[in-house]
Coordinates of all heavy atoms in Angstrom, one line a residue:
M1 N 77.1 160.4 66.3 CA 78.4 160.6 66.9 C 79.5 160.1 66.0 O 79.4 159.0 65.5 CB 78.5 159.9 68.3 CG 79.8 160.0 69.0 SD 79.7 159.2 70.6 CE 81.4 159.0 70.9
S2 N 80.5 160.9 65.7 CA 81.6 160.6 64.8 C 82.8 160.1 65.6 O 83.1 160.5 66.7 CB 81.9 161.8 64.0 OG 83.1 161.6 63.2
F3 N 83.6 159.2 65.0 CA 84.8 158.8 65.5 C 85.8 159.9 65.6 O 86.6 160.0 66.5 CB 85.4 157.6 64.7 CG 86.7 157.2 65.1 CD1 86.9 156.3 66.2 CD2 87.8 157.6 64.4 CE1 88.2 155.9 66.6 CE2 89.1 157.2 64.7 CZ 89.3 156.3 65.8
F4 N 85.8 160.8 64.6 CA 86.7 161.9 64.5 C 86.2 163.1 65.2 O 85.0 163.4 65.3 CB 86.9 162.3 63.0 CG 87.4 161.2 62.2 CD1 86.6 160.5 61.2 CD2 88.7 160.7 62.3 CE1 87.1 159.5 60.5 CE2 89.2 159.7 61.6 CZ 88.4 159.1 60.6
P5 N 87.1 164.0 65.7 CA 86.7 165.2 66.4 C 86.1 166.2 65.5 O 86.3 166.1 64.2 CB 88.0 165.7 67.0 CG 89.1 165.0 66.3 CD 88.6 163.8 65.7
E6 N 85.3 167.1 66.0 CA 84.6 168.1 65.2 C 85.6 168.9 64.4 O 86.7 169.3 64.9 CB 83.8 169.0 66.1 CG 83.0 170.0 65.3 CD 82.1 170.9 66.2 OE1 81.7 170.4 67.3 OE2 81.9 172.0 65.9
G7 N 85.4 169.1 63.1 CA 86.2 169.9 62.2 C 87.4 169.1 61.6 O 88.1 169.6 60.8
F8 N 87.5 167.8 61.9 CA 88.5 167.0 61.4 C 88.1 166.4 60.0 O 87.0 165.9 59.9 CB 88.8 165.8 62.3 CG 89.9 164.9 61.8 CD1 91.2 165.2 62.0 CD2 89.6 163.7 61.3 CE1 92.2 164.3 61.5 CE2 90.5 162.8 60.8 CZ 91.9 163.1 60.9
D9 N 89.0 166.6 59.0 CA 88.7 166.1 57.7 C 89.6 164.9 57.4 O 90.8 165.1 57.1 CB 88.8 167.2 56.6 CG 88.5 166.7 55.2 OD1 88.1 165.6 55.0 OD2 88.8 167.5 54.3
P10 N 89.1 163.7 57.4 CA 90.0 162.5 57.2 C 90.6 162.5 55.7 O 91.5 161.7 55.5 CB 89.2 161.3 57.5 CG 87.8 161.8 57.4 CD 87.8 163.3 57.7
R11 N 90.0 163.3 54.8 CA 90.5 163.3 53.4 C 91.5 164.4 53.2 O 92.0 164.5 52.1 CB 89.3 163.4 52.5 CG 88.4 162.2 52.6 CD 87.1 162.4 51.7 NE 86.2 161.2 51.8 CZ 85.3 161.1 52.7 NH1 85.1 162.0 53.6 NH2 84.5 160.0 52.8
D12 N 91.8 165.1 54.2 CA 92.8 166.2 54.0 C 94.1 165.6 53.6 O 94.6 164.6 54.2 CB 92.9 167.0 55.3 CG 93.7 168.3 55.2 OD1 94.8 168.2 54.7 OD2 93.2 169.3 55.6
D13 N 94.9 166.3 52.7 CA 96.2 165.8 52.3 C 97.2 165.7 53.4 O 98.2 165.0 53.3 CB 96.7 166.6 51.1 CG 95.9 166.4 49.8 OD1 95.3 165.4 49.7 OD2 96.0 167.3 49.0
R14 N 97.0 166.5 54.5 CA 98.0 166.5 55.6 C 97.7 165.5 56.6 O 98.5 165.3 57.5 CB 97.9 167.9 56.2 CG 98.4 169.0 55.3 CD 98.0 170.3 55.9 NE 96.6 170.5 55.9 CZ 95.9 171.5 56.4 NH1 96.6 172.4 57.1 NH2 94.6 171.6 56.4
V15 N 96.7 164.7 56.5 CA 96.4 163.7 57.4 C 97.1 162.4 57.1 O 97.2 161.9 56.0 CB 94.9 163.4 57.5 CG1 94.5 162.2 58.4 CG2 94.1 164.6 57.9
G16 N 97.8 161.8 58.1 CA 98.5 160.5 58.0 C 98.2 159.7 59.2 O 97.6 160.1 60.2
M17 N 98.5 158.4 59.1 CA 98.3 157.5 60.2 C 99.6 156.8 60.5 O 100.4 156.5 59.6 CB 97.3 156.5 59.9 CG 95.9 157.1 59.8 SD 94.6 155.9 59.5 CE 94.7 154.9 61.0
L18 N 99.9 156.5 61.8 CA 101.0 155.8 62.2 C 100.5 154.6 63.0 O 99.6 154.7 63.8 CB 101.9 156.6 63.2 CG 102.5 157.9 62.6 CD1 103.2 158.7 63.7 CD2 103.5 157.5 61.5
D19 N 101.1 153.4 62.8 CA 100.9 152.3 63.6 C 101.7 152.4 64.8 O 103.0 152.2 64.8 CB 101.2 151.0 62.8 CG 100.2 150.7 61.7 OD1 99.1 151.2 61.8 OD2 100.6 150.1 60.7
L20 N 101.1 152.6 66.0 CA 101.8 152.8 67.2 C 101.7 151.6 68.1 O 100.6 151.0 68.2 CB 101.4 154.1 67.9 CG 101.5 155.4 67.2 CD1 100.9 156.5 68.0 CD2 102.9 155.7 66.8
C21 N 102.7 151.2 68.9 CA 102.7 150.1 69.8 C 103.3 150.6 71.1 O 104.5 150.9 71.1 CB 103.4 148.9 69.2 SG 103.5 147.5 70.3
A22 N 102.6 150.5 72.2 CA 103.2 150.9 73.5 C 103.2 149.6 74.3 O 102.2 148.8 74.4 CB 102.3 151.9 74.2
I23 N 104.3 149.4 75.0 CA 104.5 148.2 75.8 C 104.9 148.7 77.2 O 105.8 149.5 77.4 CB 105.6 147.3 75.3 CG1 105.3 146.8 73.9 CG2 105.9 146.1 76.2 CD1 106.3 146.0 73.2
D24 N 104.2 148.1 78.2 CA 104.5 148.4 79.6 C 105.7 147.5 80.0 O 105.7 146.3 79.8 CB 103.3 148.1 80.6 CG 102.2 149.1 80.4 OD1 102.6 150.3 80.1 OD2 101.1 148.8 80.5
T25 N 106.8 148.2 80.5 CA 108.0 147.4 81.0 C 108.3 147.8 82.4 O 107.7 148.8 82.9 CB 109.2 147.8 80.1 OG1 109.6 149.1 80.4 CG2 108.9 147.6 78.6
P26 N 109.1 147.1 83.1 CA 109.5 147.4 84.5 C 110.1 148.8 84.5 O 110.1 149.5 85.6 CB 110.5 146.4 84.9 CG 110.1 145.2 84.0 CD 109.7 145.8 82.7
D27 N 110.7 149.3 83.4 CA 111.4 150.6 83.4 C 110.4 151.7 82.9 O 110.8 152.8 82.7 CB 112.6 150.6 82.4 CG 113.7 149.6 82.9 OD1 113.8 149.5 84.2 OD2 114.3 149.0 82.1
G28 N 109.1 151.4 82.7 CA 108.2 152.3 82.2 C 107.7 152.0 80.8 O 108.2 151.0 80.2
P29 N 106.8 152.8 80.3 CA 106.3 152.4 78.9 C 107.4 152.6 77.9 O 108.2 153.6 77.9 CB 105.1 153.4 78.7 CG 105.0 154.2 79.9 CD 106.1 153.9 80.9
A30 N 107.4 151.7 76.9 CA 108.2 151.8 75.7 C 107.3 152.0 74.6 O 106.3 151.3 74.4 CB 109.1 150.5 75.5
R31 N 107.6 153.0 73.8 CA 106.7 153.4 72.7 C 107.4 153.3 71.3 O 108.5 153.8 71.2 CB 106.2 154.9 72.9 CG 105.4 155.0 74.2 CD 105.1 156.5 74.4 NE 104.2 156.7 75.6 CZ 104.7 156.8 76.8 NH1 106.0 156.8 77.1 NH2 103.9 156.9 77.8
F32 N 106.7 152.6 70.4 CA 107.3 152.3 69.1 C 106.3 152.7 68.0 O 105.1 152.6 68.1 CB 107.6 150.8 69.0 CG 108.6 150.4 70.1 CD1 108.1 149.7 71.2 CD2 109.9 150.6 69.9 CE1 109.0 149.3 72.2 CE2 110.8 150.2 70.9 CZ 110.3 149.5 72.0
I33 N 106.9 153.1 66.8 CA 106.2 153.2 65.6 C 106.6 152.0 64.8 O 107.7 151.7 64.5 CB 106.7 154.5 64.8 CG1 106.6 155.7 65.7 CG2 105.8 154.7 63.6 CD1 107.3 157.0 65.1
V34 N 105.6 151.3 64.3 CA 105.8 150.0 63.6 C 105.9 150.2 62.1 O 105.1 150.9 61.5 CB 104.6 149.1 63.9 CG1 104.7 147.8 63.2 CG2 104.4 148.8 65.4
G35 N 107.0 149.6 61.6 CA 107.2 149.6 60.1 C 107.7 150.8 59.4 O 107.8 150.8 58.2
T36 N 108.2 151.8 60.2 CA 108.8 153.0 59.6 C 109.9 153.5 60.5 O 109.8 153.4 61.7 CB 107.7 154.1 59.2 OG1 108.3 155.1 58.4 CG2 107.1 154.7 60.5
D37 N 110.9 154.1 59.8 CA 112.0 154.7 60.6 C 111.6 156.1 61.0 O 111.0 156.8 60.2 CB 113.3 154.7 59.7 CG 113.8 153.3 59.4 OD1 113.7 152.5 60.3 OD2 114.3 153.1 58.3
G38 N 112.0 156.5 62.2 CA 111.8 157.9 62.6 C 111.5 158.0 64.1 O 111.6 157.1 64.8
R39 N 111.2 159.2 64.4 CA 110.9 159.6 65.8 C 109.7 160.5 65.7 O 109.6 161.4 64.9 CB 112.1 160.3 66.4 CG 112.0 160.7 67.8 CD 113.3 161.2 68.3 NE 113.1 161.6 69.7 CZ 113.4 162.8 70.1 NH1 114.0 163.7 69.4 NH2 113.2 163.1 71.4
F40 N 108.7 160.3 66.6 CA 107.5 161.1 66.7 C 107.2 161.5 68.1 O 107.3 160.7 69.0 CB 106.4 160.2 66.1 CG 105.0 160.7 66.4 CD1 104.5 161.8 65.7 CD2 104.1 160.0 67.2 CE1 103.2 162.3 65.9 CE2 102.8 160.5 67.4 CZ 102.4 161.6 66.8
T41 N 106.9 162.8 68.3 CA 106.5 163.3 69.6 C 105.0 163.6 69.5 O 104.6 164.4 68.7 CB 107.3 164.5 70.0 OG1 108.7 164.2 69.9 CG2 106.9 165.0 71.4
D42 N 104.2 162.9 70.4 CA 102.8 163.1 70.4 C 102.4 164.4 71.1 O 103.3 165.1 71.6 CB 102.1 161.9 70.9 CG 102.3 161.6 72.3 OD1 102.8 162.5 73.1 OD2 102.1 160.4 72.8
T43 N 101.1 164.7 71.1 CA 100.6 166.0 71.7 C 100.8 166.0 73.3 O 100.8 167.0 73.9 CB 99.2 166.2 71.4 OG1 98.4 165.1 71.9 CG2 98.9 166.4 69.9
A44 N 101.1 164.8 73.9 CA 101.3 164.7 75.3 C 102.8 164.9 75.6 O 103.2 164.8 76.8 CB 100.8 163.4 75.9
G45 N 103.7 165.0 74.5 CA 105.1 165.1 74.7 C 105.8 163.8 74.8 O 107.0 163.8 75.1
E46 N 105.1 162.7 74.6 CA 105.8 161.4 74.7 C 106.4 161.1 73.3 O 105.9 161.4 72.3 CB 104.7 160.3 74.9 CG 103.9 160.5 76.2 CD 104.7 160.4 77.5 OE1 105.9 159.9 77.4 OE2 104.2 160.8 78.5
V47 N 107.6 160.5 73.4 CA 108.4 160.2 72.2 C 108.2 158.7 71.8 O 108.3 157.8 72.6 CB 109.9 160.5 72.5 CG1 110.7 160.1 71.2 CG2 110.1 161.9 72.8
W48 N 108.0 158.5 70.5 CA 107.8 157.2 69.9 C 108.9 157.0 69.0 O 109.2 157.9 68.2 CB 106.4 157.1 69.2 CG 105.2 157.4 70.1 CD1 104.8 158.6 70.6 CD2 104.3 156.4 70.5 NE1 103.7 158.4 71.3 CE2 103.4 157.1 71.3 CE3 104.2 155.0 70.4 CZ2 102.3 156.5 71.9 CZ3 103.1 154.4 71.0 CH2 102.2 155.1 71.8
H49 N 109.6 155.8 69.0 CA 110.7 155.5 68.1 C 110.3 154.5 67.1 O 109.6 153.5 67.5 CB 111.9 155.0 69.0 CG 112.4 156.0 69.9 ND1 113.3 157.0 69.6 CD2 112.1 156.2 71.3 CE1 113.5 157.7 70.7 NE2 112.8 157.3 71.7
G50 N 110.6 154.7 65.9 CA 110.2 153.8 64.8 C 111.3 153.1 64.1 O 112.5 153.7 64.0
S51 N 111.0 152.0 63.6 CA 112.0 151.2 62.8 C 111.3 150.3 61.8 O 110.3 149.7 62.1 CB 112.9 150.4 63.7 OG 113.8 149.6 62.9
T52 N 111.9 150.2 60.6 CA 111.3 149.3 59.6 C 111.6 147.8 60.0 O 111.0 146.9 59.5 CB 111.9 149.5 58.2 OG1 113.3 149.4 58.3 CG2 111.5 150.8 57.7
L53 N 112.4 147.6 61.0 CA 112.7 146.3 61.5 C 111.6 145.8 62.5 O 111.5 144.6 62.8 CB 114.0 146.2 62.3 CG 115.2 146.7 61.5 CD1 116.5 146.7 62.4 CD2 115.5 145.8 60.3
L54 N 110.7 146.6 62.9 CA 109.6 146.3 63.9 C 108.4 145.8 63.1 O 108.0 146.3 62.1 CB 109.3 147.5 64.7 CG 110.4 148.0 65.7 CD1 109.9 149.3 66.3 CD2 110.7 147.0 66.7
S55 N 107.7 144.8 63.7 CA 106.4 144.3 63.3 C 105.6 143.8 64.5 O 106.2 143.6 65.5 CB 106.6 143.2 62.2 OG 107.2 142.1 62.8
V56 N 104.3 143.8 64.3 CA 103.4 143.2 65.3 C 102.6 142.1 64.7 O 102.4 142.1 63.5 CB 102.5 144.3 65.9 CG1 103.3 145.3 66.7 CG2 101.7 145.0 64.9
D57 N 102.2 141.2 65.5 CA 101.4 140.1 65.0 C 100.0 140.5 64.6 O 99.5 140.0 63.6 CB 101.3 138.9 66.0 CG 100.9 139.3 67.4 OD1 100.7 140.5 67.6 OD2 100.7 138.4 68.2
Q58 N 99.4 141.4 65.3 CA 98.1 142.0 64.9 C 98.0 143.3 65.6 O 98.4 143.5 66.8 CB 97.0 141.1 65.2 CG 96.9 140.6 66.6 CD 95.8 139.6 66.8 OE1 94.9 139.9 67.6 NE2 95.8 138.5 66.2
L59 N 97.4 144.3 65.0 CA 97.2 145.6 65.6 C 95.8 145.6 66.2 O 94.8 145.3 65.5 CB 97.4 146.7 64.6 CG 98.8 147.0 64.2 CD1 98.9 148.0 63.1 CD2 99.7 147.4 65.3
Q60 N 95.6 146.0 67.4 CA 94.3 146.1 68.1 C 94.3 147.4 68.8 O 95.3 147.9 69.3 CB 94.0 145.0 69.0 CG 94.0 143.6 68.3 CD 93.7 142.5 69.3 OE1 93.6 142.7 70.5 NE2 93.6 141.3 68.8
M61 N 93.1 148.0 69.0 CA 93.0 149.2 69.7 C 92.6 148.9 71.2 O 92.0 147.9 71.5 CB 91.9 150.1 69.1 CG 92.2 150.5 67.7 SD 91.0 151.6 67.0 CE 91.4 153.1 67.8
T62 N 93.1 149.8 72.1 CA 92.7 149.8 73.5 C 91.2 150.2 73.6 O 90.8 151.1 73.0 CB 93.5 150.7 74.3 OG1 94.9 150.4 74.2 CG2 93.1 150.7 75.7
I63 N 90.4 149.3 74.3 CA 89.0 149.6 74.4 C 88.7 149.7 75.9 O 89.0 148.8 76.7 CB 88.2 148.5 73.7 CG1 88.5 148.5 72.3 CG2 86.7 148.7 74.0 CD1 87.8 147.3 71.5
N64 N 88.1 150.8 76.4 CA 87.7 151.0 77.8 C 88.9 150.8 78.7 O 88.8 150.2 79.7 CB 86.6 150.0 78.2 CG 85.3 150.3 77.5 OD1 85.0 151.5 77.1 ND2 84.5 149.3 77.2
D65 N 90.0 151.4 78.3 CA 91.3 151.3 79.0 C 91.8 149.9 79.3 O 92.6 149.7 80.2 CB 91.1 152.0 80.4 CG 90.9 153.5 80.2 OD1 91.5 154.1 79.2 OD2 90.2 154.1 81.0
V66 N 91.4 149.0 78.5 CA 91.9 147.6 78.5 C 92.7 147.4 77.3 O 92.2 147.4 76.2 CB 90.8 146.5 78.6 CG1 91.4 145.1 78.6 CG2 89.9 146.8 79.9
A67 N 94.0 147.2 77.4 CA 94.9 147.0 76.3 C 94.9 145.6 75.9 O 94.9 144.6 76.7 CB 96.4 147.4 76.7
P68 N 95.0 145.4 74.6 CA 95.1 144.0 74.0 C 96.5 143.4 74.3 O 97.4 144.1 74.5 CB 94.8 144.2 72.5 CG 95.3 145.6 72.3 CD 95.0 146.4 73.5
R69 N 96.5 142.1 74.3 CA 97.8 141.4 74.4 C 98.4 141.2 73.0 O 97.7 141.1 72.1 CB 97.7 140.1 75.1 CG 97.2 140.3 76.5 CD 97.2 139.0 77.2 NE 98.6 138.7 77.5 CZ 99.0 137.7 78.3 NH1 98.1 136.9 78.8 NH2 100.2 137.5 78.5
G70 N 99.7 141.2 72.9 CA 100.3 141.0 71.6 C 101.8 141.0 71.8 O 102.3 140.9 72.9
A71 N 102.5 141.0 70.6 CA 104.0 141.0 70.6 C 104.5 141.9 69.6 O 103.9 142.1 68.6 CB 104.4 139.5 70.3
L72 N 105.6 142.6 70.0 CA 106.3 143.4 69.1 C 107.6 142.6 68.7 O 108.3 142.1 69.6 CB 106.7 144.7 69.8 CG 107.6 145.7 69.0 CD1 106.7 146.3 67.9 CD2 108.1 146.8 69.9
V73 N 107.8 142.5 67.4 CA 108.9 141.6 66.9 C 110.0 142.5 66.2 O 109.6 143.4 65.4 CB 108.4 140.6 65.9 CG1 109.5 139.7 65.4 CG2 107.4 139.7 66.6
L74 N 111.2 142.3 66.5 CA 112.3 142.9 65.8 C 113.0 141.9 65.0 O 113.6 140.9 65.5 CB 113.3 143.5 66.9 CG 114.6 144.1 66.3 CD1 114.2 145.4 65.5 CD2 115.5 144.5 67.5
S75 N 113.0 142.0 63.6 CA 113.6 141.1 62.7 C 114.8 141.6 62.1 O 114.8 142.7 61.5 CB 112.6 140.8 61.6 OG 111.4 140.2 62.1
Y76 N 115.9 140.9 62.2 CA 117.2 141.4 61.7 C 118.2 140.2 61.6 O 118.0 139.2 62.1 CB 117.8 142.5 62.6 CG 118.2 142.0 64.0 CD1 119.5 141.6 64.2 CD2 117.3 141.8 65.0 CE1 119.9 141.1 65.5 CE2 117.6 141.4 66.2 CZ 118.9 141.0 66.5 OH 119.2 140.5 67.7
F77 N 119.2 140.4 60.8 CA 120.3 139.5 60.7 C 121.5 140.2 61.4 O 121.9 141.3 61.1 CB 120.7 139.2 59.2 CG 119.6 138.4 58.5 CD1 118.8 139.1 57.7 CD2 119.5 137.1 58.7 CE1 117.8 138.4 57.0 CE2 118.5 136.4 58.0 CZ 117.7 137.0 57.2
Q78 N 122.1 139.5 62.4 CA 123.2 140.0 63.1 C 124.5 139.9 62.3 O 124.8 138.8 61.9 CB 123.3 139.3 64.5 CG 124.5 139.7 65.3 CD 124.4 141.2 65.7 OE1 123.4 141.6 66.3 NE2 125.5 141.9 65.5
D79 N 125.1 141.0 62.1 CA 126.4 141.0 61.5 C 127.4 140.5 62.5 O 127.6 141.1 63.6 CB 126.8 142.5 61.1 CG 128.1 142.6 60.4 OD1 128.9 141.6 60.4 OD2 128.4 143.6 59.8
P80 N 128.1 139.4 62.2 CA 129.1 138.8 63.2 C 130.2 139.8 63.5 O 130.8 139.6 64.6 CB 129.6 137.6 62.5 CG 129.2 137.7 61.1 CD 128.1 138.7 61.0
D81 N 130.5 140.7 62.7 CA 131.6 141.7 63.0 C 131.1 143.0 63.7 O 132.0 143.8 64.0 CB 132.3 142.0 61.7 CG 132.9 140.8 61.0 OD1 133.4 139.9 61.7 OD2 133.0 140.8 59.7
A82 N 129.9 143.1 63.9 CA 129.3 144.3 64.5 C 128.9 144.0 66.0 O 128.7 142.8 66.3 CB 128.1 144.8 63.7
P83 N 128.8 145.0 66.8 CA 128.3 144.8 68.2 C 126.9 144.2 68.1 O 126.1 144.4 67.2 CB 128.3 146.2 68.7 CG 129.1 147.1 67.9 CD 129.1 146.4 66.5
S84 N 126.5 143.6 69.2 CA 125.2 143.0 69.3 C 124.1 144.0 69.2 O 124.0 144.9 70.0 CB 125.0 142.2 70.6 OG 123.7 141.8 70.8
L85 N 123.2 143.9 68.2 CA 122.1 144.8 68.0 C 121.1 144.8 69.1 O 120.7 145.8 69.6 CB 121.4 144.6 66.7 CG 120.2 145.5 66.3 CD1 120.7 146.9 66.3 CD2 119.6 145.1 65.1
A86 N 120.8 143.6 69.6 CA 119.9 143.4 70.7 C 120.4 144.1 72.0 O 119.7 144.8 72.7 CB 119.6 141.9 71.0
S87 N 121.7 144.0 72.3 CA 122.3 144.7 73.4 C 122.3 146.2 73.2 O 122.1 146.9 74.2 CB 123.8 144.2 73.6 OG 123.8 142.8 73.9
E88 N 122.6 146.6 72.0 CA 122.6 148.1 71.7 C 121.2 148.7 72.0 O 121.0 149.8 72.5 CB 123.0 148.4 70.3 CG 124.5 148.0 70.0 CD 125.4 149.0 70.7 OE1 125.2 150.2 70.7 OE2 126.4 148.5 71.3
L89 N 120.1 147.9 71.6 CA 118.8 148.4 71.7 C 118.4 148.5 73.2 O 117.6 149.4 73.6 CB 117.8 147.6 71.0 CG 117.9 147.7 69.5 CD1 117.0 146.7 68.8 CD2 117.4 149.1 69.0
R90 N 118.8 147.5 74.0 CA 118.5 147.5 75.4 C 119.1 148.7 76.1 O 118.6 149.3 77.0 CB 118.9 146.2 76.1 CG 118.1 145.0 75.7 CD 118.5 143.8 76.5 NE 117.8 142.6 75.9 CZ 118.5 141.6 75.4 NH1 119.8 141.5 75.5 NH2 117.8 140.6 74.9

């Protein structure tokens, strides 16, 4: 049994990987791409937002529908003359 689906070639030049982090919040799931800027829509139509400012302490995979615990960290220096970045993100 292979980890990859039938016909999938992991050595293909078009194959890439994204470090994704989903967090359950009271407002619903928040989906992030770790360590790269951009926006990604998955095959289920869910949108993931990315930033080079994001990092995680360790990446783990969900096993048997049990998600690992962890933290998503936003690292930045606040410009005193600019609006609050944390407030803007919320």
Side-chain angles (χ1 to χ4, degrees):
M1 181 175 159
S2 172
F3 173 79
F4 299 110
E6 184 177 330
F8 179 80
D9 180 5
R11 293 177 184 86
D12 191 308
D13 289 337
R14 296 169 290 174
V15 173
M17 292 185 64
L18 296 173
D19 291 330
L20 302 177
C21 177
I23 298 175
D24 289 327
T25 71
D27 297 325
R31 296 174 177 87
F32 301 99
I33 308 168
V34 179
T36 189
D37 294 320
R39 184 172 176 231
F40 167 69
T41 303
D42 64 21
T43 56
E46 303 295 346
V47 177
W48 301 73
H49 298 278
S51 174
T52 55
L53 303 176
L54 296 173
S55 63
V56 293
D57 52 356
Q58 54 182 246
L59 290 174
Q60 296 179 359
M61 297 184 78
T62 300
I63 299 172
N64 294 327
D65 294 327
V66 176
R69 297 187 73 171
L72 178 72
V73 178
L74 177 66
S75 301
Y76 66 96
F77 292 101
Q78 177 64 49
D79 181 346
D81 298 326
S84 168
L85 180 60
S87 296
E88 294 291 319
L89 288 172
R90 286 189 192 120

